[in-house]
Amino acid sequence: MSEIGIGIIGGGYMGKAHAVAHAAVGAVFQTALRPRLEMVAASSPASAERYRDAFGFARAAGSWEELVDDPRVEAVIIASPPETHLAITRRAADLGKPVFCEKPLGASISDAAAMTETVEAAGVPNMIGFNYIRTPASQYARRLVAEGAIGDVTWFRGEHTEDFYADPEAPASWRTSGEANGCMGDLAPHMINAALALMGPVASVMAEIETVHTMRGSDPVTNDDQAQIMCRFVNGAMGHLFFSRVATGRKMGYIYEITGTKGAIRFNQEDQNSLWLYKAEGPEADRGFRQILIGPAHPDYEPFCLGPGHGTGYQDQIIIEARDFLESVAEGRSRWPTFRDGLAVSRIVSAARTSHENRSWAHVAGD
Amino acid sequence: MSEIGIGIIGGGYMGKAHAVAHAAVGAVFQTALRPRLEMVAASSPASAERYRDAFGFARAAGSWEELVDDPRVEAVIIASPPETHLAITRRAADLGKPVFCEKPLGASISDAAAMTETVEAAGVPNMIGFNYIRTPASQYARRLVAEGAIGDVTWFRGEHTEDFYADPEAPASWRTSGEANGCMGDLAPHMINAALALMGPVASVMAEIETVHTMRGSDPVTNDDQAQIMCRFVNGAMGHLFFSRVATGRKMGYIYEITGTKGAIRFNQEDQNSLWLYKAEGPEADRGFRQILIGPAHPDYEPFCLGPGHGTGYQDQIIIEARDFLESVAEGRSRWPTFRDGLAVSRIVSAARTSHENRSWAHVAGD
Amino acid sequence: MSEIGIGIIGGGYMGKAHAVAHAAVGAVFQTALRPRLEMVAASSPASAERYRDAFGFARAAGSWEELVDDPRVEAVIIASPPETHLAITRRAADLGKPVFCEKPLGASISDAAAMTETVEAAGVPNMIGFNYIRTPASQYARRLVAEGAIGDVTWFRGEHTEDFYADPEAPASWRTSGEANGCMGDLAPHMINAALALMGPVASVMAEIETVHTMRGSDPVTNDDQAQIMCRFVNGAMGHLFFSRVATGRKMGYIYEITGTKGAIRFNQEDQNSLWLYKAEGPEADRGFRQILIGPAHPDYEPFCLGPGHGTGYQDQIIIEARDFLESVAEGRSRWPTFRDGLAVSRIVSAARTSHENRSWAHVAGD
Amino acid sequence: MSEIGIGIIGGGYMGKAHAVAHAAVGAVFQTALRPRLEMVAASSPASAERYRDAFGFARAAGSWEELVDDPRVEAVIIASPPETHLAITRRAADLGKPVFCEKPLGASISDAAAMTETVEAAGVPNMIGFNYIRTPASQYARRLVAEGAIGDVTWFRGEHTEDFYADPEAPASWRTSGEANGCMGDLAPHMINAALALMGPVASVMAEIETVHTMRGSDPVTNDDQAQIMCRFVNGAMGHLFFSRVATGRKMGYIYEITGTKGAIRFNQEDQNSLWLYKAEGPEADRGFRQILIGPAHPDYEPFCLGPGHGTGYQDQIIIEARDFLESVAEGRSRWPTFRDGLAVSRIVSAARTSHENRSWAHVAGD
Ligand SMILES: NC(=O)C1=CN([C@@H]2O[C@H](COP(=O)(O)OP(=O)(O)OC[C@H]3O[C@@H](n4cnc5c(N)ncnc54)[C@H](O)[C@@H]3O)[C@@H](O)[C@H]2O)C=CC1
Ligand SMILES: NC(=O)C1=CN([C@@H]2O[C@H](COP(=O)(O)OP(=O)(O)OC[C@H]3O[C@@H](n4cnc5c(N)ncnc54)[C@H](O)[C@@H]3O)[C@@H](O)[C@H]2O)C=CC1
Ligand SMILES: NC(=O)C1=CN([C@@H]2O[C@H](COP(=O)(O)OP(=O)(O)OC[C@H]3O[C@@H](n4cnc5c(N)ncnc54)[C@H](O)[C@@H]3O)[C@@H](O)[C@H]2O)C=CC1
Ligand SMILES: NC(=O)C1=CN([C@@H]2O[C@H](COP(=O)(O)OP(=O)(O)OC[C@H]3O[C@@H](n4cnc5c(N)ncnc54)[C@H](O)[C@@H]3O)[C@@H](O)[C@H]2O)C=CC1
């Protein structure tokens, strides 16, 4: 067991989540590398200092550059806005430091591509922050599909819906402009990643993207509120994706339904400790979707609790993510999902935008 | 209270349902006209005789023509296959008899148009068999939306999914050929009708229609297994529809979710006695989708039971439908949903086929 | 197929339900005997006439005696208040006519015993109106338990909870006095019957019975609002029963949970078309309560609808009951549940009252 | 912000949970005192050393005595078996050190009483480990009840049911003997605590306690598998409690239902991020239990995640508990729930045992 100095850029929503995760992960998973909260950077030295104190970092950085350059920072976690992701990645890669980056990979598809190239060229371990797919339930769903438990998949429906902008009276903010801050930029990536993880690559998409509330007060909204995508997976299955930040009543609607020839799976992140499985076997009279309460029999649950049904939560996903990143660093090679996996998501977002503009099906670029 | 002679063509799934409904409706709703099960027709005189005996009709007809022509048959219910709907309608309209016709309106869009023209020209009361929209829950959902309880609607998702053809080993049958017998012809109409009833007219559609299992044994399947439609409603809202007969695990997935600026509604026919309503009002901490158990406070429930939560079932929808038809006949004018409403559904089905073939958005024809 | 003249005493909540059921049952089940709504009686000739007209009976009786005595009335259905049950039963039995009686069997345990003796001595087919146990779901639950699908039963929890008297401001009425009208008299019998049907006889009970709101306006409430019973079944299992008419939010809380060594069952009448089954078999990771949507694979569902998940409702239970009664009459012998089964329920109610008064366990009298 | 040295006795199920919690709590809650994982003790020096390494403690103790005595250990957490609780408490109290003790308070009611006396006499901050009541949902339920949101409470039903010993073939273990390890000793305390927290004190109980599987292999089982208690709260309401370790299918059935004159609440720990609330207000047609997804509007949620519906899990409860304990230590006085609250629970367990033995209602001893 040896220590590794962690530097986190950003101390907001996700900066804090990663700080907590690295504080806890060693005790939870007994990782080979034990993280040390070495340094935090933020938009100003003063806020970095506040985060240092709040989350228990050893030091605060004057700037993200200072953090990246610091010799005691051995791995970099990017939890700052998308516009900053590329530059930070470049500097870290130059120094050969492993990088973990929050989604979306960059502020644009070109940023995402550049970031991927950078880390691959530098050969540094890299990972993208798709945390929802790491719940024990979703990990198990992936395994079930991969093992053929539901047969050949014939339909996938996914959505990521929340309602934080459902109120038309809610004022404009930084969220209401900027491609990366809209629904397609901000919410879509998690579920697109899930679709890829569960179903494999997407061949083509047909999308409709829209701004439902075009004005907020006297300010125009210049990015999208919701979007839907019909898609065709490379495996031949048809699918549908829906994303919305104006979905009144939905709080964490990361939902998927997967239908196969021998069964089906349903999941809703709002009840993240249940996975619903239907198996077309046994007497007809006894068939039904079963609510599997997640427990030690499912991936990555047991370190959190020995009792089934006792449940994991949002923060625990980030702890699992931290474990994955530390293992990747310890092994010296990237683990799924890498920047390239983030880029695959960005490509679908990009194809959806093209489709929407042309009002026609769009091919999704491959590697 | 006076009697009316009912003739039903078909004694299968729906023929029986209508026979039971007309046996019960007088006692349930105390309708002005009391139906008399006068005559039943089927594909042969022998089967008509079996149905007569089984369901308690006074007489069996040698053919549907005989039934329509019979003077004691004062209103005609068509519960035979779609191919028969047009000819029966014509003959009944010629004789000035009210006609109730099962969905889909006809075997094709042109049949549907001809049927609509026929009954309108003849001025006979006419009705189409969209029963699911008549549950107390869905009637109440319509009222809530119409009264603005959920504000301006911003999203509609509907599906009608069942799994009776999910097993790839299930053999071919009459269901696996013929446009009207495929998923778009057979399953889609109910939910398209619901979309129209809840949201108003559809302006345009973008569809994907497919046959998942192209062979059953050594027989080719020549109609569709599932389909999805992105749509734009005239009111500006975006929507999505999905239909499938291969949706493993779904038994009666007549499901809709309607999102508005002030609330949202969810419904699943598999639990037809609950309507889920979210209202964006009151303290944030107390908001949530509430499961409203249907009862006497909701439309058309009380005649079935004085106790809330005691529940109505499939057959009760047909009884409500029978009440609507009898009232329409008593009043001498059509009530919603008429053949024209059935035609509106057929037009969307037709536009979806066009869209699918052209792989592009298609405009929906209006009146 | 021959006709049988049905006479119904009472045209209220249950009188109507039975009238509708007998109007429909022939078409639904193609029973050997086809009921003819011959005569209805009520508390006055005028109200009987109104019911005749409303529900489609051939004739109205001046009194229940007239109805029972009428030669064209071949079977008697008692749907009048409990106080009337014994006298009606006696007269019908004297004339050798089959009797169906609504729960509770009589106004008191002694009435119930006398009624049972009477019909048994006369040898007339007799049946008691426990309709809830006749849903396809509960019939299937009984079968599962009987066949050992959940192993040896170790725990039973049942409740029947509604909230029609939850509002403390609701005024007094006939319901707030009279033993048979209280919660133990009125609500308890259905679930006690279910407990017996699912678990077998009860050996002893320990009860707590109470009036929550002792005054309604200026009127005292002289019967009970809610009650709980701990019980020991003859098969050795422990159980608990709860009944309430003041259970705010519960509309039809006829709920049971049965735990066995190999599985468990859950049911809630508020979602009467689902049965939840857990089987302690297969990989741990795949276990969970499955929501079985009731369909043609379950008892008595198919005659109502060929499609699974399409659902039956309250009225359909009464139709099933009508079928059972007609078959019993046709066979000339009683079918479960008979008056004796109603008496068994009354004995448990009675033992619970004793237990409550003595504040100690009470033995349940057997046959 | 100053540091405090934490010593944890036990490194099993709960020892680990507390270790993780104290590693994370500072970053989550920015507590005034920042815990330092100073020392861990276990049943042997070797296992203590393993835990030290696994969870990241600074040092391992040779024995719990060594840990308690160590000057750098400033607060003691007892996560070892019940038999050890009293002796550890005495030694810690002697040294004036704050003590957190896992439930049950001691191995017996007399131990519990002695422990309470000890800490109160010594004046050391003390706390008992009832973690489930600390979920944001249950904290909010307490607040709702206290504020009268559901009116006067008329009924409480609680259960704590799991199935870890449901399989009759499961072999005997330390769990199958010893009063404190049986269902009443081990499972009951959490839900009894919840009942007290939500409803106030219990006046009297009537209990039935049993061993369902009296032999496991060739070993007798000498403690209880399940138990039920009818109770009367001091506020006048009636209640029922059920506990089982043989409840096939239940994984974390910490369930309560609270009925009041104006509303009702339902909660199931298996879906710990939902609280179900019914309010008897507004139009009848719109009433229903609403599923409130827990979020920043509820107590202690926001530090874990800014997004509602994203969810907390089992480990997060222990982090909340750690925050409570640290605040208590920082303030120098005990916070709810104290040892005295643990004793109140033990008294109910004790009264239940008396009731069961005497087969009669038992009074619950007060302070
Ligand atoms: N995986 C997930 O579930 C979520 C991911 N995210 C992603 O995490 C990233 C950060 O988002 P939030 O934490 O929500 O944002 P936030 O606004 O809460 O925090 C952003 C942080 O970045 C810092 N920052 C801004 N500019 C900086 C600069 N030039 N140098 C150094 N620090 C700078 C700010 O001081 C702040 O601490 C985004 O990419 C976002 O899409 C956000 C929320 C959830
Ligand atoms: N509203 C709903 O929920 C449902 C509607 N339907 C619709 O009801 C109609 C009938 O379908 P099902 O009852 O399922 O079919 P079915 O196959 O069960 O019964 C068809 C009946 O039509 C009779 N028939 C066939 N050709 C005839 C002819 N030339 N003359 C007289 N009778 C003839 C047959 O003898 C048979 O009794 C279709 O339009 C179907 O789409 C079907 C099922 C559910
Ligand atoms: N199985 C079930 O789900 C239910 C059973 N019941 C039972 O059904 C029975 C009737 O209850 P409801 O229908 O709710 O009562 P109700 O008050 O709605 O109707 C009672 C009927 O009995 C008639 N009646 C009263 N005294 C009479 C007399 N001396 N002679 C002839 N008719 C008389 C009245 O005119 C009225 O039509 C009761 O035993 C009750 O416990 C009631 C509701 C539900
Ligand atoms: N709050 C909750 O949700 C739960 C509470 N508990 C409670 O936590 C306590 C511990 O239970 P578990 O962690 O499940 O037990 P466990 O068997 O997993 O761990 C017990 C630990 O105590 C240590 N230990 C035993 N005797 C010792 C001694 N004489 N000196 C020092 N260490 C000793 C063992 O080495 C072991 O590390 C019990 O009081 C139990 O009731 C247990 C599980 C859940």
Side-chain angles (χ1 to χ4, degrees), chain A residues 140 144 276 284-292 297-298, chain C residues 140 144 276 284-292 297-298:
Chain A
Y140 192 61
L144 285 171
W276 294 77
E284 189 70 39
D286 289 350
R287 293 186 191 173
F289 274 91
R290 66 188 81 165
Q291 180 185 19
I292 301 172
H298 303 102
Chain C
Y140 192 60
L144 285 171
W276 294 78
E284 189 70 38
D286 288 350
R287 293 185 190 173
F289 274 91
R290 66 187 83 165
Q291 180 185 21
I292 301 172
H298 304 102

Side-chain angles (χ1 to χ4, degrees), chain D residues 10-14 42-43 51 64 79-81 85 102-104 131 190 314:
Chain D
Y13 192 137
M14 290 314 298
S43 51
Y51 294 138
W64 66 259
S80 47
H85 294 185
E102 264 308 326
K103 47 62 46 183
N131 43 287
H190 282 299
Y314 179 79

Side-chain angles (χ1 to χ4, degrees), chain D:
Chain D
M1 172 177 127
S2 55
E3 281 206 351
I4 179 162
I6 300 289
I8 301 182
I9 299 167
Y13 192 137
M14 290 314 298
K16 176 176 180 180
H18 290 292
V20 172
H22 282 278
V25 65
V28 173
F29 280 109
Q30 287 105 60
T31 53
L33 290 178
R34 294 302 170 96
R36 196 182 59 241
L37 291 177
E38 185 60 40
M39 207 178 224
V40 63
S43 51
S44 73
S47 64
E49 173 54 23
R50 273 199 309 277
Y51 294 138
R52 188 203 59 70
D53 182 58
F55 308 138
F57 284 85
R59 293 176 293 150
S63 68
W64 66 259
E65 290 88 346
E66 188 187 320
L67 181 148
V68 173
D69 295 350
D70 191 278
R72 284 179 61 79
V73 170
E74 293 157 283
V76 174
I77 293 176
I78 308 175
S80 47
E83 305 78 57
T84 64
H85 294 185
L86 173 57
I88 300 172
T89 295
R90 285 203 167 126
R91 195 166 187 120
D94 276 357
L95 294 169
K97 297 189 179 180
V99 190
F100 175 97
C101 183
E102 264 308 326
K103 47 62 46 183
L105 194 52
S108 64
I109 175 82
S110 63
D111 276 21
M115 289 171 71
T116 305
E117 240 172 86
T118 302
V119 291
E120 292 184 352
V124 294
N126 57 89
M127 184 172 278
I128 168 99
F130 294 131
N131 43 287
Y132 293 112
I133 198 68
R134 307 195 207 225
T135 52
S138 285
Q139 287 191 54
Y140 192 60
R142 287 184 72 189
R143 186 186 297 174
L144 285 170
V145 174
E147 288 174 353
I150 61 168
D152 294 328
V153 175
T154 56
W155 170 249
F156 179 88
R157 186 177 84 77
E159 63 176 78
H160 189 142
T161 43
E162 305 195 19
D163 71 355
F164 56 82
Y165 252 123
D167 182 356
E169 308 301 317
S173 75
W174 60 269
R175 289 183 171 283
T176 49
S177 67
E179 196 180 276
N181 302 322
C183 177
M184 279 302 285
D186 180 41
L187 287 189
H190 282 299
M191 182 44 63
I192 293 176
N193 166 256
L196 294 172
L198 291 157
M199 296 288 289
V202 169
S204 56
V205 295
M206 173 74 215
E208 183 83 338
I209 304 174
E210 69 174 6
T211 306
V212 172
H213 302 298
T214 51
M215 295 296 290
R216 295 207 171 255
S218 52
D219 301 307
V221 174
T222 58
N223 58 15
D224 53 303
D225 281 331
Q226 63 181 16
Q228 65 171 320
I229 304 177
M230 301 203 304
C231 65
R232 181 65 62 180
F233 291 92
V234 168
N235 68 14
M238 191 160 84
H240 182 255
L241 300 167
F242 177 58
F243 313 108
S244 179
R245 65 184 183 190
V246 296
T248 311
R250 282 282 182 212
K251 303 306 170 186
M252 185 51 217
Y254 175 93
I255 292 168
Y256 52 81
E257 300 188 10
I258 319 172
T259 305
T261 49
K262 295 184 185 161
I265 286 171
R266 291 184 197 152
F267 178 74
N268 181 344
Q269 185 73 21
E270 289 174 348
D271 181 15
Q272 69 190 278
N273 290 295
S274 292
L275 186 71
W276 294 77
L277 174 66
Y278 182 94
K279 296 254 221 167
E281 67 185 28
E284 188 71 38
D286 289 350
R287 293 186 192 171
F289 274 91
R290 66 188 80 166
Q291 180 185 20
I292 301 173
L293 290 170
I294 302 303
H298 303 101
D300 282 338
Y301 179 92
E302 187 168 333
F304 291 98
C305 187
L306 297 177
H310 289 51
T312 57
Y314 179 79
Q315 181 62 51
D316 299 328
Q317 302 159 31
I318 316 297
I319 294 175
I320 294 173
E321 191 164 72
R323 189 271 324 265
D324 287 347
F325 184 51
L326 290 171
E327 284 190 8
S328 156
V329 173
E331 294 160 16
R333 54 192 170 78
S334 299
R335 286 183 60 169
W336 185 89
T338 64
F339 278 22
R340 185 153 291 276
D341 298 297
L343 177 59
V345 168
S346 298
R347 280 180 177 147
I348 291 173
V349 171
S350 179
R353 294 195 203 275
T354 304
S355 163
H356 173 66
E357 273 152 36
N358 300 343
R359 289 180 69 71
S360 69
W361 283 88
H363 180 72
V364 176
D367 282 336

Side-chain angles (χ1 to χ4, degrees), chain C residues 133 137-138 140-146 149-158 191 194-200 233 235 237-240 255-267 275-279 289, chain D residues 242 246-250:
Chain C
I133 197 69
S138 285
Y140 192 60
R142 287 183 73 190
R143 186 186 298 173
L144 285 171
V145 174
I150 60 167
D152 294 328
V153 176
T154 57
W155 170 248
F156 179 88
R157 186 177 83 77
M191 183 43 65
L196 294 172
L198 291 157
M199 297 287 290
F233 291 92
N235 67 14
M238 192 160 82
H240 182 254
I255 293 168
Y256 52 79
E257 299 187 9
I258 319 171
T259 305
T261 48
K262 293 185 187 161
I265 285 171
R266 291 184 196 153
F267 178 73
L275 186 71
W276 294 78
L277 173 65
Y278 182 94
K279 296 254 221 168
F289 274 91
Chain D
F242 177 58
V246 296
T248 311
R250 282 282 182 212

